[in-house]
């Protein structure tokens, strides 16, 4: 028997992903659950007790400003409770049949993922993201609305690219990057680099984090 | 009340700037980097100090400082701000030994350099000292003992707090349009925090009606309470209002109680050394280092590049993370954003002040609590010696 699907998370992205999951799984019982978090790092999972892991799969929805560590922290907690995380892919997205998708990937309407792509776990593609051919995206990556990633680019784990950005062909972005300026990025961007409107030069964490 | 020691011209005029570069920045020990960045063999940082390109590199486990210029054509040996790379010139491949002597020249025959001349070829080296994780370089040919510049208490503090630093450091640099002394005076002037940082830093502190800090002392410190390594440290007291001042006393260290509320990342930290307090080291000429609760640390350096311009270097890091905690770059960036907000609040005002000083005939007046600023001014004028000529 197919398990029910629970869309769970701590914030306002919940409703969006719930609507998407309802569209993606029309024959499945889909519910939404708010998971309280006082500090966005530690979560109160008590409400999950009403949704046993043998009856419910989970789709995690987290809206976060910084790199996706909030999602990682929540994911680790629910996996340890025996839940399986599933993807929510809009029927109005184009995902080529040759694309390899990880777990709990969220792909919103209008997105295009070309042939030969590889997408890791817990990746979010907001509306109208375009991934050209042979793009590799790591785990816990968020590509905001209207991001275009050209052919043969690679994006490391725990990276966020802000809305209306594009990555030139062959661009390589390291892990834990946050590209928060809407512009074209190219070349090699070292892991733990942070482009922010608050700083005229990129901020860097000088000890590279493990990918 | 005190009459200011410094004339407006020393903040705005090129002649004063040139003298400062020679007689202050060319003679004093200058902060060059953190050892967290220099742990691995061949790791390096490149800095521009007093207009001089300086390379600090870990060579065989020892930190060394050189002019970042190949002995051949002066090409910088390292072209990135920091990284890990052998001591080899990118232009023609000249390679150097750890002591800066020449190791080898590719295609050596075409240069026609005799053995005797070759033996004399070496990189220009500078004196280097580390205090805890803080690396200082002196550009003078005969550097003063660092103990003449920094008090024993300041050096003990830097030594004792360093083992608590996490290895990951967030670093950024940016420009600001004001004189470096305005920044040093600003960090000495604790009274501005309530007005300039009313929504950012000041709410972390607790003030009484008279504007002084009034939080209750915590007994959680691993550094400053009885039975801990810095229990006997002497924090900077009131500065004398007149008379000569020692260079060691121009830098200042202070600490005050700060109400402690755990933050979301507090449980991720292994052993924060000073919960319930805020300490700051204003290290002359151009470094400001401090801690909030011993959980997060800020390090600021404002390098003068023109009379009305500094290159601001900013580092933030936390105390050591617990071993099982994964890397937290997002945490460092969050702290760095908060830090930049405070810096920007100062920068907006100091930039305006800089413009106003260009047409000022005097700087105004100072309160008794601003005696440390006055003391710095007196030492500065003495160091420039004959500075009156610069103002003519």
């Amino acid at each position: 028997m197919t398990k029910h699907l629970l869309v769970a998370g701590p914030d306002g992205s919940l409703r969006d992903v719930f609507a998407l999951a309802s569209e993606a799984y029309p024959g499945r019982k889909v519910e939404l659950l708010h998971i309280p978090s006082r500090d966005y790092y530690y979560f109160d999972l008590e409400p999950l007790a009403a949704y046993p892991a043998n009856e419910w799969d989970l789709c995690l929805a987290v809206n976060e400003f910084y790199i996706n560590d909030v999602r990682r922290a929540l994911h680790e907690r629910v996996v340890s409770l025996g839940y399986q995380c599933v993807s929510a892919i809009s029927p109005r997205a184009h995902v080529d049949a040759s694309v390899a998708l990880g777990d709990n990937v969220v792909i919103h309407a209008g997105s295009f993922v070309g042939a030969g792509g590889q997408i890791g776990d817990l990746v979010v593609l907001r509306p109208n993201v375009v991934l050209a051919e042979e793009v590799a995206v790591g785990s816990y990556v968020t590509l905001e609305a209207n991001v275009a990633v050209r052919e043969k680019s690679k994006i490391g784990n725990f990276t966020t690219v802000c809305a209306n950005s594009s990555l030139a062909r062959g661009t390589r972005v390291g892990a834990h990057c946050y590209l928060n300026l809407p512009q074209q990025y190219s070349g090699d961007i070292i892991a733990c680099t942070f482009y922010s409107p608050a700083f005229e030069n990129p901020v860097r964490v000088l000890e590279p984090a493990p990918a | 009340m005190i009459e200011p020691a410094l004339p407006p011209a020393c903040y705005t005029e090129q002649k004063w700037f040139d003298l400062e570069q020679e007689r202050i920045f060319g003679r004093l020990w200058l902060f060059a980097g953190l050892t967290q960045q220099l742990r691995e063999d061949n790791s390096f940082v490149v800095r521009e100090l007093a207009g001089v390109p300086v390379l600090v590199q870990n060579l065989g486990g020892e930190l060394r400082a050189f002019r970042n210029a190949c002995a051949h054509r002066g090409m910088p040996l390292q072209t990135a701000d920091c990284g890990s790379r052998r001591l080899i010139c990118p232009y023609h491949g000249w390679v150097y030994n750890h002591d800066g002597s020449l190791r080898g020249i590719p295609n050596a025959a075409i240069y026609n350099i005799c053995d005797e001349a070759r033996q004399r070829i070496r990189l220009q080296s500078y004196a280097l000292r580390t205090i805890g994780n803080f690396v200082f370089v002196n550009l003078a040919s005969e550097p003063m003992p660092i103990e003449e510049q920094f008090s024993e208490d300041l050096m003990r503090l830097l030594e004792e707090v360093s083992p608590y630093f996490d290895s990951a450091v967030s670093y950024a640099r940016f420009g600001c349009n004001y004189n470096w002394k305005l920044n040093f005076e600003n960090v000495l002037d604790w009274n501005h925090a309530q007005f300039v940082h009313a929504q950012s830093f000041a709410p972390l502190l607790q003030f009484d009606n008279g504007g002084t800090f009034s939080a209750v002392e915590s007994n959680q410190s691993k550094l400053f309470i009885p039975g801990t390594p810095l229990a006997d440290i002497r924090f900077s007291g009131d500065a004398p209002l007149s008379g000569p001042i020692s260079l060691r006393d121009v830098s200042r260290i202070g600490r005050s109680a700060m109400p402690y509320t755990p933050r979301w990342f507090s449980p991720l930290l292994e052993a924060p050394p000073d919960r319930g307090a805020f300490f700051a080291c204003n290290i002359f000429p151009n470094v400001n280092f401090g801690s909030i609760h011993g959980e997060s640390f800020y390090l600021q350096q404002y390098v003068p590049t023109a009379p009305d311009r500094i290159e601001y270097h900013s580092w933030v890091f936390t105390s050591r993370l617990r071993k099982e905690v994964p890397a937290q770059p997002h945490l460092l960036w969050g702290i760095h954003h908060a830090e930049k907000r405070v810096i920007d609040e100062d920068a907006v005002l100091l930039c305006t002040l800089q413009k106003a000083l260009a047409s000022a005939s005097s700087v105004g007046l100072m309160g008794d609590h601003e005696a440390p600023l006055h003391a710095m001014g007196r030492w500065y004028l003495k160091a420039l010696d004959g500075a009156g000529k610069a103002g003519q």
Side-chain angles (χ1 to χ4, degrees), chain B residues 235-282:
Chain B
F235 291 104
S236 304
D238 295 336
L241 298 179
S242 61
I245 180 157
S246 148
L247 173 57
R248 282 193 298 269
D249 294 330
V250 177
S251 296
R252 296 182 66 81
I253 51 177
R255 179 174 178 266
S256 74
M258 175 181 259
Y260 179 66
T261 307
R263 290 171 281 184
W264 71 266
F265 59 90
S266 300
L268 308 182
L269 305 173
E270 189 174 79
D274 200 25
R275 279 186 174 149
F278 161 73
F279 73 73
C281 305
N282 313 130

Side-chain angles (χ1 to χ4, degrees), chain A residues 38-42 65-70 72 76 158 175-178 180 191-194 196-210, chain B residues 37 39 82 166-176 263-268 309 314-315 325-337 340 344:
Chain A
R38 189 166 48 89
D39 50 19
Y40 237 56
Y41 199 86
Y42 300 96
F65 178 73
Y66 296 115
I67 307 305
N68 305 310
D69 204 57
V70 179
R72 179 199 59 78
E76 280 185 3
F158 299 95
H176 291 279
C177 285
Y178 196 80
N180 192 22
C192 292
T193 302
F194 189 5
S196 162
F199 292 87
E200 67 187 51
N201 297 306
V203 182
R204 281 186 56 199
V205 172
L206 295 171
E207 183 187 68
Chain B
Q37 296 172 242
R39 284 194 178 146
C82 59
D166 194 57
S167 56
V169 176
S170 180
Y171 168 72
R173 68 184 161 93
F174 40 90
C176 292
R263 290 171 281 184
W264 71 266
F265 59 90
S266 300
L268 308 182
R309 178 102 178 142
S314 168
W315 297 258
V325 173
Q328 303 285 323
H330 54 293
L331 163 61
L332 292 178
W333 288 325
I335 296 171
H336 220 151
H337 258 91
K340 183 65 165 38
D344 285 347

Side-chain angles (χ1 to χ4, degrees), chain B residues 168-186:
Chain B
V169 176
S170 180
Y171 168 72
R173 68 184 161 93
F174 40 90
C176 292
N177 294 318
Y178 55 83
N179 184 274
W180 67 276
K181 294 186 292 298
L182 291 181
N183 209 108
F184 190 77
E185 291 171 337
N186 185 63

